[in-house]
Amino acid sequence: MGLTGNALHVWRRISSEDRHKMSWKDYCNWIQTTFSSPLTLQQAIESMDSLKQTGSATIYIQSFNNLVAAISSQGVQYPEAHLCVKFRQGLKPHLRADSDLFSFSSNLKQLQIETERLDEFHWRQNKALKQNNNSSNSNGNFRSSRSSAKSETSPM
């Protein structure tokens, strides 16, 4: 069978009886209709050109890889270096400018792994900064509310 991950999960949704009745041709058709992209080649290429990271790197990587699969299912194979350039173009500006990612110019998988690592690092760093700002703002608001209350009761 050779199915793994999501494909195996979807396969197991088919009743055992229906799976056993399936011929090789039926199986190939099921694979094609279940997992092929609904995009035409032109739509997939245009989508790849306009794809931008708006959320996590993980979601962006999944969308990018789906487009690569849609394009390759139409018989078009891009060189790995081209895919790396396209992938970088859609990243958020802080990741696109990160010099660590420039060392991965012809290995898409490694580029994606490093992008996820850096995105996670930036996310944790921003989260910590926001927490620090929130705690200092809440202290500041407390002081200003005390001093304004004091000034209302104190004569000028």
Side-chain angles (χ1 to χ4, degrees):
M1 181 170 56
L3 300 175
T4 60
N6 187 44
L8 183 59
H9 178 72
V10 173
W11 174 253
R12 288 182 177 158
R13 286 190 208 158
I14 300 172
S15 72
S16 179
E17 182 182 329
D18 289 341
R19 286 186 294 202
H20 290 294
K21 288 180 188 176
M22 219 181 261
S23 68
W24 177 250
K25 185 177 179 182
D26 293 337
Y27 176 76
C28 291
N29 287 336
W30 176 80
I31 292 285
Q32 184 66 29
T33 57
T34 304
F35 299 107
S36 67
S37 174
L39 299 175
T40 65
L41 177 59
Q42 186 65 32
Q43 289 171 326
I45 290 170
E46 289 171 1
S47 294
M48 182 182 280
D49 288 341
S50 64
L51 183 65
K52 299 291 181 213
Q53 179 189 0
T54 57
S56 72
T58 304
I59 293 170
Y60 174 71
I61 290 167
Q62 183 179 18
S63 299
F64 186 86
N65 288 343
N66 287 343
L67 291 172
V68 170
I71 291 168
S72 66
S73 73
Q74 300 287 328
V76 176
Q77 297 296 320
Y78 284 127
E80 193 94 3
H82 177 78
L83 292 174
C84 289
V85 169
K86 288 291 190 186
F87 178 80
R88 250 190 238 98
Q89 286 174 347
L91 290 174
K92 289 180 179 177
H94 72 277
L95 289 171
R96 193 174 343 143
D98 197 305
S99 61
D100 291 343
L101 295 180
F102 286 100
S103 61
F104 303 100
S105 60
S106 60
N107 187 332
L108 182 62
K109 183 69 175 163
Q110 284 303 117
L111 175 60
Q112 291 176 341
I113 290 169
E114 186 65 11
T115 299
E116 277 186 305
R117 187 189 70 73
L118 288 171
D119 192 50
E120 178 72 16
F121 173 77
H122 286 288
W123 182 80
R124 288 181 188 275
Q125 193 175 30
N126 286 338
K127 184 178 177 184
L129 285 172
K130 285 179 184 177
Q131 286 175 342
N132 288 341
N133 286 341
N134 286 342
S135 64
S136 60
N137 282 344
S138 65
N139 290 340
N141 290 340
F142 175 72
R143 286 186 197 124
S144 65
S145 66
R146 283 188 62 194
S147 62
S148 65
K150 195 175 188 183
S151 65
E152 288 177 8
T153 59
S154 303
M156 291 187 87

